[in-house]
Amino acid sequence: MGDGPAVEVPQGRIEAHETLGETRCEKQRLYKREYMRRWRASLGRQTSERARRRSAYYARKERELLADASPVCDPDGAALCGYCGIRRAVEDVARLEISADAPDGYVKVRIPYCGHC
Ligand SMILES: [Zn+2]
């Protein structure tokens, strides 16, 4: 393989080619931006997004309730991981939890952790 291009192209043609590519990219970027604006502004999409978020919120609440119902200790009495609930916890990790009562809106909680999740 040689160091230079296989075919000699005059410098002016390369610059024109780059400018055309940049113009095409800019047009494509503007088109995509306007498309996404229209897509986000669509009432049908906003309604479906609201429904999706509401459903995800209730699904998360249900998961949290079920997780609370799961045992936190194995039959030998050792603490289980707070994330997977399967393996034994080997350490506690700190996590911020949203709280309306806290002055900065977050409370630090310690969660048993297995080291794998
Ligand atoms: Zn785990």
Side-chain angles (χ1 to χ4, degrees), residues 80-89 112-117:
L80 292 175
C81 174
Y83 295 101
C84 64
I86 298 169
R87 293 181 278 266
R88 284 186 174 191
Y113 179 59
C114 67
H116 295 281
C117 300

Side-chain angles (χ1 to χ4, degrees), residues 24-39:
R24 192 178 310 145
C25 281
E26 181 65 16
K27 274 184 180 175
Q28 210 167 25
R29 191 182 69 78
L30 289 175
Y31 171 78
K32 286 178 180 177
R33 188 171 71 180
E34 288 307 313
Y35 175 83
M36 288 307 293
R37 278 186 179 167
R38 284 193 308 271
W39 185 75

Side-chain angles (χ1 to χ4, degrees), residues 34-97:
E34 288 307 313
Y35 175 83
M36 288 307 293
R37 278 186 179 167
R38 284 193 308 271
W39 185 75
R40 281 190 295 268
S42 158
L43 278 180
R45 197 211 64 83
Q46 287 179 359
T47 305
S48 69
E49 178 65 15
R50 215 172 289 122
R52 189 194 66 76
R53 283 176 185 248
R54 190 179 313 115
S55 141
Y57 171 79
Y58 285 119
R60 191 178 66 238
K61 283 284 181 192
E62 186 181 356
R63 273 197 313 274
E64 287 172 2
L65 285 173
L66 290 173
D68 284 348
S70 68
V72 292
C73 294
D74 66 3
D76 299 334
L80 292 175
C81 174
Y83 295 101
C84 64
I86 298 169
R87 293 181 278 266
R88 284 186 174 191
V90 293
E91 63 178 322
D92 282 354
V93 291
R95 192 180 109 186
L96 293 178
E97 200 168 88

